[in-house]
Structures are given as structure tokens and as C-alpha cells.
Amino acid sequence: MASDGFRPLDEKLLVEYVKATPVLADKLGNQFDKLEIEEVGDGNLNFVYIVISPSGSCVIKQALPYIRCIGESWPMAKERAYFEAITLKEHGGLCPDHVPEVYHFDNSMCLIEHISDYMAKTLFYTSLLYLTTTDHKSAVAKYCGNVEMCRLTEQVVFSDPYKVSEHNHWTSPYLDSDAEAVREDNLLKLEIAELKSKFCERAQALIHGDLHTGSVMVTGDSTQVIDPEFGFYGPMGFDIGAFVGNLILAYFAQDGHAVDGNDRKPYKVWILKTITETWNLFYKKFTALWDEHKDGPGEAYLPAIYNNPDVQLLVKQKYMKELFHDTLGFGAAKMIRRIVGVAHVADFESIKEAKKRAVCERKALNFAKNLLKERRDFQSISEVVSAMEQLDSQ
Amino acid sequence: MASDGFRPLDEKLLVEYVKATPVLADKLGNQFDKLEIEEVGDGNLNFVYIVISPSGSCVIKQALPYIRCIGESWPMAKERAYFEAITLKEHGGLCPDHVPEVYHFDNSMCLIEHISDYMAKTLFYTSLLYLTTTDHKSAVAKYCGNVEMCRLTEQVVFSDPYKVSEHNHWTSPYLDSDAEAVREDNLLKLEIAELKSKFCERAQALIHGDLHTGSVMVTGDSTQVIDPEFGFYGPMGFDIGAFVGNLILAYFAQDGHAVDGNDRKPYKVWILKTITETWNLFYKKFTALWDEHKDGPGEAYLPAIYNNPDVQLLVKQKYMKELFHDTLGFGAAKMIRRIVGVAHVADFESIKEAKKRAVCERKALNFAKNLLKERRDFQSISEVVSAMEQLDSQ
């Protein structure tokens, strides 16, 4: 993933590197004459190459010591690759069915099943619902070392969108006043501060830290979650919210892609269904793990105390309600930053006509602002979906 | 504080140890013939000796590798002395006026001023209101090593009182049904679980971890806070609550000490005043530090975002409201454990007549249970004091 004397890998260096690395050379059958090499990263942070030889293939990802889309003026620890690797290893041990080696393309229910499985297992098994406080504190200490990646999130998710920053951009001039309104909304700032505190202070589970839909690689029968270089002990809702927030963005982007003969309505219905089922399946799987391990090593709720069905139901409802509201809050925060912050999403960016794009983005932004402020009023994911449809029809 | 080859210090060993330790021998003027030695620990965890020679004095505290009041069957890391030392050092650097060397006795306003000063400074300067997230994460990692002391608190404060445990005791038979009611109160268990999660997961500040009134040594002009061997990054309310909770216990204990000619009423009024002023002064000092350092290194509320008086007021009110409710919750939890858990307080234990003691303890227990469940309904400390008076008069 990285050489010792650091050099950004171009195609020439990449071939040298592969030749000099036995395990990679073996993967490619030691055939280097007809290599196909494609750079496939989104360009924000890293270089990602797919390398194909006649007898095999591999993916090479390189962490740069700065943020690629900004340049060397914004340095960034390339040691994040280490945290990516150990988080993959840790999550892979917990959820071996969904750990990378090969990446392809998708169908729907598999994705929903798999991603809810991934979130339920990785979050449950690294929380105090399963860990002793001894193991938990030791793991928390270990991941404190990934502070630089946490700080990047703090800046681009919880800070920059709410202040003037050279990194921010939006569909100008259409959203100029919308961006300004975000910077002047005291109640919104109150809510984002609460989420930032939770992100910085609450070591609830080993989270992926960047679980947007672009971190999920899917085929018809396999779902692989990659890129946990932001991994650390933080609030569970940050992962679930990242995924759900990206789906909500996708929903509001569809009208910008509608053309004669394809109004995108069936796809919008599919996205709503995916949002609903992702949360509901996660809920079901997570609480099933809880039931399965209620007499296990976890020390949050000792069996000798939480010893009757009534109290078990009460604590579960309370825990899941807070997690649901965290999910909505963090999801909304991630939506806002994708519209007025530094890094945007393809769903919107690919709408060529700026005016049309701005209309879609404004709907998503208004929905996110409301969700962040009023998240505690939502009792179920179907209420969230209804609110999306209502705002969309206005 | 401890020798390498560990031996519990009796008086004979203590003299040898002092003679062999130049800095201590110097403190005592190297006069060892007429040493006065008194063991002054409460007997729960450690040995604490006051050693006096004609020309000087010192305090010797020894951490045992087990819990003293239980015995070797409950091992406990004697390395807690290390965490006690570094927390004293850290807190001493932040609040140099109130760091140990000499300990004596008290008058009232000094105590209230000093303890609120101590809490405001130690909690503010170790929180994200003053620290960068880089410094904060690094400190959090360091104190994760004190997990064994955290686990002791988890057990005796958040677990044992709510289940059958060989370590629990109470004024039997009078409080048998009260203790049983605590073990069968589902709503109480729901609340204590929330506080336990906060204790285990929320790294809000470097807390003392055992700030009951016995950790505060006072004279007319000096207040010294000792014994931070439970120090780690946890919720601020745990410290403030421990102190306030002990004062509430003292209030409800007074009727058990009333005799003809001394009904203890003026002292009860003084305790209520102390509770009110401790919180209010803490609030004033803590928010004053916040104002003073609002453009400082702290990253919880960046000046570029929280850039107008309205939003500054909003975030401060919200932060302090949550801290107030945490304080009441943790205070109530500490009260409950002092009545039906393993370690009790002198205020009640010194009421010789069991039946009379039980009446006082029951009032305190009922108040604590209500406070834990209804803490979010209290808007100010004066409402808490009114509720105490009301329950007391029933």
C-alpha cells in the first residue's frame, strides 16, 4: 500500500512496485507485459488503481501525505493506511462474509441485507453490549492514535459548512443565500455542536468513520465495505447516518436526471424502500445480536440486574431510540456538508445544468436542516420517508 | 508511596521507610525518636498515615494490591497510586492554589469558594472547551490505562446496588424491603444504565473520579483536594455529583444526630446553603472561564462559527443544563450506593440506634431514587433544595 521512501505512484512506479512485491506479483501471475492499469479513486484523498494481467488482478491503494484534491498545502498523515488496514482486519474478523478481496456490481436486496448485517455486527461486537469495559478501554486507547483523520472529519463535517472557509463551494450563484443561511442559523449551530461533542467524546463502538455509499462495493451476491481509514471509537449513528444520508441525497438528486421517457420515479421509490429497509433490518439484526449475547461478556447491561423481560425491553427501546436519533442527526450533517462543504457527491455533480442542480440541492439541504433540528420528533424511519415525500412534492 | 518489593506498611516498616527516603526524612528534620504516627485512612482501600516529628510532618499513603476492607479475595491494581500522582500533578498545574502538601480543618465560605474553583478549573481546562481534539485524544488514551479503577466504580456505583451482591449491606432489617425495591425498580435500572454508559463512554474531562467530601481537606484558609487515584477522562457531572450527593446525605443524616438542646436545624440550613452556593458558584466560575477562553485553543465551539452573543448564550445554556442534569443523576447514584451498597458514609454510620438511622437513610434513599428518575425536570439547584425540604418535612 505504501513504500518506505514515499513517492506518489504513477503508472510506471506502480509497475515497478508490483514487480518488487512478491505477493502482488504472484496475484498477477508474474505477467507484466500486458498489464491493464486504471486509476479509479474519487480523487479526494488517495490514489486507487486496478491492475489487471491476463492471469489475475489486484487493487492498489496509496494514501498520500496530503489531501489529494487540495494539494500539499493541506497535509494529512499517510499513516491512515495503517488504521484502514487494522480496521479492515478487525471488522473482517467480526464479519468475515463481507471483507474485500474482489469488487464488482450490485442488486438491491443483497445490498440491504449485507450492509445492515455489516453495520449490526461491526457496531454491536465492538460496543459495551458485547465487550468488557477492560477490552473496550484498551481498544479506545489504541484508536486514539487516529486523531488526525478524526480532525479531518471534525473540520469538513462539523465546522467548515457553518463558517466561511476557502474549501467550501456550492452551486453558485443559485445557492449563495442558502449557504449563507446555514452559516447564520443559530439553532442549526446548536445542534451541530451537540453532534460534534458526541463525535469527539463518545466512544460507543469501533466505527468505520466514512461509511458513505462510495465505500460499499457490490455485486449480485457480494457486498464489500472498504476504506475504513477513518476508523476509531465513536458514535454508532455516525456510520448508519452516513449511509442513510447518502441515500437521501440520491433521492433528491433524481429529478435533476429525469428526461422524457424516464421520470426516475420507480428508482425514487426504490431508494425510499432501501432507506426504510436498511434501518429496519439493521434494527432487527442488531437487537437479535443483543438477545443472542445478553448473557455474554458485555458489561453495559449485566444479566443479574437486567433480569426480567420488562426491563430488557425498556433498555433496548431506549438505546435504539437514541441510536435512531443519532443516525438522523449525523445523516443530516453529512448531507449538509455534501451540498455546501468541500467534497460533494456524484449524484448532484453529474446534473450538468446548474440551475436545475440547485433546485434539487436546495430541497436536500432544506430537508437536512429540518432533520438535524427536529430529529427527536421522528419515531420511525417511515415517518422520515413520509417527510421526504412531502417536501419533494412541494 | 510504595516500595518495590511490596509490603503493607505497619508502623515499624513505616519508620524504616521514612528513614530510607531522604525527602521524607528531611521533612521530619531527620528526628525519628519522637515520631507520632496515626493511621487516618477510612479503611476502604488504602493505608494512610500522618507522621509527625518535633520539627516537621508528612502524610504517607500506601495503595494495597487488593481492596483493604474486603481483603486479598478482591485484588486491585496498586498502580492506581501512579494515576493518583499524575492526576494530582495535572490538576495541580491547573489549579496550583489547591494542591496538597499540608492538610487541616475548615470554615464554610472558603470551602465553597475553593471547591467550586477546583471543579471549574480542573474540569474546564481538561475539556474540549479548552483543549484541541489532538491534545484531548492523546490524554484520553493515556488515562485509559486506569481501567481497573473505573471498573471498581462501575461495580460499586452502577451495578452492585441494583442486584444481589455479597458486598452490599444496609441497616437491616429496617431497610430490607427498601434494598429489595431498588433491585426491582425497572425505571431506576433504566436510568442507572444511561449514567453507566456515560461513565464508560463519554470522555468529557479529566475527572477526579472520587470527589466525595472525604477527598476534600480544609482549614480556615486552605482547601486541598486529595486522592484522585480514580482519575480518568469521564463525565464532569460525576465529580460535581459526588460532592453534592455527599452534602445531601449529610443533610438527611442530621435528624439522627439531634439531641435535646441541639436540633441541628442551623446546620441543616448551612448544608442547604452550601449545596446551592457550590453549584451556583461553580456555574459562575466555569462559564467565566469559558468566556475568558472563548477565542482560545478549545475546539468544541470554534469562534468563527459561534460568532454572535445569541448563539454563544444558546450553546452555554444547553451545555450547562445537561451538566446540571448529569450532576443530579450521578449525585443520586452515589447516594444510593452509600445506603445499600458496599461502602457507607460516617454521617449515617455514626447514628448508633439502627431504627433511627434507618429512618434517616430511607428519606435519603427515596430522595435519591426520585432525583435519579426525575432529574431532567429540575431547572435550578434551588428547586432541588426545595424538594429536599419538602421530603424532609413529610
Side-chain angles (χ1 to χ4, degrees):
Chain A
M1 285 186 139
S3 57
D4 287 322
F6 179 82
R7 289 179 300 177
L9 291 176
D10 57 22
E11 291 205 10
K12 184 164 166 287
L13 288 171
L14 187 70
V15 175
E16 284 178 21
Y17 179 76
V18 167
K19 282 184 181 171
T21 309
V23 64
L24 294 177
D26 285 351
K27 271 271 180 246
L28 300 169
N30 290 289
Q31 295 178 280
F32 308 114
D33 310 342
K34 295 180 180 174
L35 285 184
E36 285 176 48
I37 298 175
E38 192 182 354
E39 216 274 292
V40 295
D42 63 3
N44 283 331
L45 277 180
N46 308 300
F47 283 116
V48 184
Y49 293 99
I50 296 181
V51 184
I52 305 174
S53 85
S55 61
S57 66
C58 64
V59 172
I60 309 278
K61 174 170 177 179
Q62 183 187 40
L64 301 175
Y66 48 83
I67 293 181
R68 182 177 165 193
C69 68
I70 304 290
E72 297 189 27
S73 64
W74 193 340
M76 182 53 48
K78 65 179 165 37
E79 290 67 27
R80 61 185 183 268
Y82 164 74
F83 290 99
E84 175 160 6
I86 59 171
T87 307
L88 271 176
K89 204 171 158 190
E90 173 91 13
H91 282 173
L94 299 171
C95 189
D97 290 348
H98 311 304
V99 187
E101 277 273 342
V102 190
Y103 316 129
H104 315 271
F105 243 126
D106 180 41
N107 93 17
S108 65
M109 274 314 289
C110 268
L111 165 65
I112 299 168
E113 279 283 350
H114 289 166
I115 197 69
S116 58
D117 201 42
Y118 169 85
M119 295 191 302
K121 284 179 179 162
T122 59
L123 299 178
F124 177 83
Y125 285 115
T126 61
S127 77
L128 284 170
L129 297 174
Y130 184 75
L131 295 182
T132 64
T133 55
T134 305
D135 291 343
H136 175 261
K137 272 228 165 22
S138 146
V140 169
K142 181 164 130 190
Y143 285 94
C144 279
N146 205 15
V147 59
E148 214 180 321
M149 299 307 282
C150 293
R151 286 175 65 78
L152 178 57
T153 301
E154 288 157 26
Q155 178 173 347
V156 299
V157 176
F158 300 107
S159 297
D160 277 355
Y162 304 89
K163 68 188 190 60
V164 174
S165 161
E166 54 176 332
H167 306 302
N168 290 341
H169 63 98
W170 52 81
T171 302
S172 188
Y174 306 102
L175 295 186
D176 287 359
S177 62
D178 299 82
E180 191 186 354
V182 167
R183 296 195 300 270
E184 293 182 356
D185 189 331
N186 287 349
L187 293 179
L188 202 64
K189 292 179 179 184
L190 193 64
E191 295 299 339
I192 202 71
E194 180 178 324
L195 293 180
K196 183 179 178 183
S197 286
K198 234 174 206 174
F199 182 82
C200 294
E201 295 175 348
R202 186 163 187 204
Q204 195 179 16
L206 175 58
I207 67 174
H208 178 285
D210 191 29
L211 193 59
H212 59 82
T213 44
S215 293
V216 185
M217 312 296 278
V218 283
T219 70
D221 56 9
S222 164
T223 303
Q224 303 297 333
V225 180
I226 60 169
D227 289 354
E229 65 205 345
F230 287 83
F232 82 112
Y233 270 76
M236 296 177 179
F238 192 78
D239 272 4
I240 315 168
F243 189 79
V244 169
N246 257 241
L247 291 173
I248 301 177
L249 289 178
Y251 175 84
F252 285 110
Q254 293 314 312
D255 285 358
H257 296 289
V259 289
D260 279 351
N262 184 358
D263 62 5
R264 298 267 180 156
K265 281 198 177 140
Y267 187 47
K268 287 171 77 173
V269 170
W270 179 86
I271 295 174
L272 294 181
K273 180 168 151 272
T274 301
I275 292 170
T276 308
E277 289 180 353
T278 298
W279 171 260
N280 287 340
L281 262 178
F282 166 78
Y283 188 107
K284 192 177 146 194
K285 286 164 186 272
F286 188 89
T287 52
L289 287 172
W290 192 339
D291 287 335
E292 186 186 337
H293 296 286
K294 72 182 165 56
D295 300 316
E299 294 188 312
Y301 304 95
L302 301 182
I305 302 173
Y306 299 90
N307 52 4
N308 67 70
D310 287 348
V311 75
Q312 281 166 23
L313 186 64
L314 278 172
V315 294
K316 214 170 285 169
Q317 283 172 339
K318 180 171 167 146
Y319 193 101
M320 298 310 286
K321 184 178 168 187
E322 193 194 344
L323 183 50
F324 180 60
H325 292 153
D326 279 4
T327 296
L328 300 182
F330 286 118
K334 300 271 262 181
M335 290 174 67
I336 292 169
R337 77 98 151 197
R338 294 294 185 192
I339 298 167
V340 298
V342 59
H344 290 215
V345 289
D347 310 68
F348 287 125
E349 295 301 287
S350 57
I351 302 170
K352 291 207 178 85
E353 195 191 319
K355 195 172 172 183
K356 192 194 271 184
R357 180 167 71 243
V359 170
C360 297
E361 289 178 322
R362 183 177 291 118
K363 275 189 179 177
L365 183 62
N366 287 339
F367 183 79
K369 285 166 65 176
N370 186 61
L371 190 62
L372 185 48
K373 289 191 243 187
E374 310 295 340
R375 64 189 184 279
R376 297 173 197 84
D377 295 341
F378 290 94
Q379 302 299 313
S380 69
I381 193 72
S382 62
E383 288 179 17
V384 177
V385 164
S386 298
M388 287 171 65
E389 291 180 300
Q390 201 188 335
L391 187 143
D392 190 40
S393 67
Q394 280 168 1
Chain B
M1 283 185 142
S3 56
D4 286 323
F6 178 82
R7 289 180 299 177
L9 291 176
D10 56 24
E11 292 205 9
K12 184 163 166 286
L13 287 171
L14 186 71
V15 175
E16 284 177 21
Y17 179 76
V18 166
K19 281 184 183 172
T21 309
V23 64
L24 294 178
D26 285 351
K27 272 269 180 244
L28 300 170
N30 289 290
Q31 295 180 280
F32 309 113
D33 309 342
K34 294 180 180 173
L35 287 183
E36 285 176 47
I37 298 173
E38 193 182 354
E39 216 275 292
V40 295
D42 64 5
N44 284 330
L45 277 179
N46 308 300
F47 282 116
V48 183
Y49 293 98
I50 296 180
V51 184
I52 305 173
S53 85
S55 61
S57 66
C58 64
V59 172
I60 309 279
K61 175 171 175 178
Q62 184 187 41
L64 302 176
Y66 48 83
I67 293 182
R68 182 176 166 193
C69 68
I70 303 290
E72 296 188 28
S73 63
W74 192 342
M76 181 53 47
K78 65 180 166 35
E79 290 66 27
R80 62 185 184 266
Y82 164 74
F83 289 100
E84 175 159 7
I86 61 171
T87 307
L88 271 176
K89 205 171 157 187
E90 174 90 14
H91 281 173
L94 299 171
C95 188
D97 291 348
H98 312 304
V99 188
E101 279 273 340
V102 191
Y103 317 130
H104 314 270
F105 241 125
D106 180 44
N107 92 19
S108 64
M109 274 314 288
C110 268
L111 163 66
I112 299 168
E113 278 284 350
H114 289 167
I115 197 70
S116 58
D117 199 44
Y118 168 86
M119 295 191 302
K121 285 181 178 162
T122 59
L123 299 177
F124 177 83
Y125 284 115
T126 60
S127 77
L128 284 170
L129 297 174
Y130 184 76
L131 296 182
T132 64
T133 55
T134 306
D135 290 343
H136 176 260
K137 273 230 167 17
S138 146
V140 169
K142 181 164 130 190
Y143 285 94
C144 279
N146 204 15
V147 59
E148 214 179 321
M149 297 308 282
C150 294
R151 287 174 64 78
L152 178 57
T153 300
E154 288 157 27
Q155 177 173 348
V156 300
V157 176
F158 300 107
S159 297
D160 278 355
Y162 305 89
K163 67 187 189 61
V164 174
S165 162
E166 54 176 331
H167 306 301
N168 290 341
H169 63 97
W170 53 80
T171 302
S172 188
Y174 306 103
L175 296 186
D176 286 0
S177 63
D178 299 82
E180 191 186 354
V182 167
R183 294 194 302 268
E184 293 182 357
D185 189 331
N186 287 349
L187 293 178
L188 202 65
K189 291 179 179 184
L190 193 65
E191 296 298 340
I192 201 72
E194 180 178 324
L195 293 180
K196 183 180 176 182
S197 286
K198 233 173 207 175
F199 182 82
C200 294
E201 295 175 347
R202 185 164 188 202
Q204 193 178 18
L206 175 57
I207 67 174
H208 178 286
D210 192 29
L211 194 59
H212 59 81
T213 42
S215 294
V216 184
M217 312 295 279
V218 285
T219 70
D221 56 9
S222 164
T223 304
Q224 304 297 333
V225 179
I226 59 168
D227 289 354
E229 64 205 344
F230 286 84
F232 81 113
Y233 270 77
M236 296 178 179
F238 192 79
D239 271 5
I240 316 168
F243 188 79
V244 170
N246 257 241
L247 290 173
I248 301 177
L249 288 178
Y251 175 84
F252 285 110
Q254 293 315 310
D255 286 358
H257 297 290
V259 290
D260 278 351
N262 184 357
D263 62 6
R264 297 269 179 153
K265 280 196 178 142
Y267 188 48
K268 286 171 78 172
V269 170
W270 178 86
I271 294 173
L272 294 181
K273 178 167 154 273
T274 301
I275 292 170
T276 307
E277 290 180 352
T278 297
W279 171 260
N280 287 340
L281 261 178
F282 166 78
Y283 188 106
K284 191 176 148 194
K285 285 164 186 273
F286 188 89
T287 54
L289 288 171
W290 192 338
D291 288 335
E292 185 187 339
H293 296 285
K294 73 183 164 56
D295 299 316
E299 293 188 312
Y301 303 94
L302 301 182
I305 302 173
Y306 299 89
N307 51 6
N308 67 69
D310 287 348
V311 75
Q312 281 167 24
L313 186 64
L314 279 172
V315 293
K316 213 170 285 169
Q317 283 171 339
K318 181 170 164 147
Y319 193 101
M320 297 309 286
K321 184 178 168 187
E322 193 194 344
L323 183 50
F324 181 60
H325 292 154
D326 278 3
T327 296
L328 300 183
F330 286 118
K334 300 273 264 181
M335 289 174 68
I336 292 169
R337 77 98 152 195
R338 295 294 185 192
I339 298 168
V340 298
V342 58
H344 290 215
V345 288
D347 310 67
F348 287 126
E349 296 300 286
S350 58
I351 301 171
K352 291 206 179 84
E353 195 192 320
K355 194 172 172 182
K356 192 195 269 186
R357 180 167 72 242
V359 170
C360 298
E361 288 178 322
R362 182 177 293 119
K363 276 189 178 179
L365 182 62
N366 287 339
F367 184 78
K369 285 167 64 176
N370 186 62
L371 191 62
L372 185 48
K373 288 191 245 187
E374 309 295 338
R375 64 189 185 279
R376 297 173 197 84
D377 295 342
F378 289 95
Q379 303 298 315
S380 69
I381 193 72
S382 63
E383 287 180 18
V384 176
V385 163
S386 297
M388 287 171 64
E389 290 179 300
Q390 200 187 337
L391 188 143
D392 190 42
S393 67
Q394 280 168 1

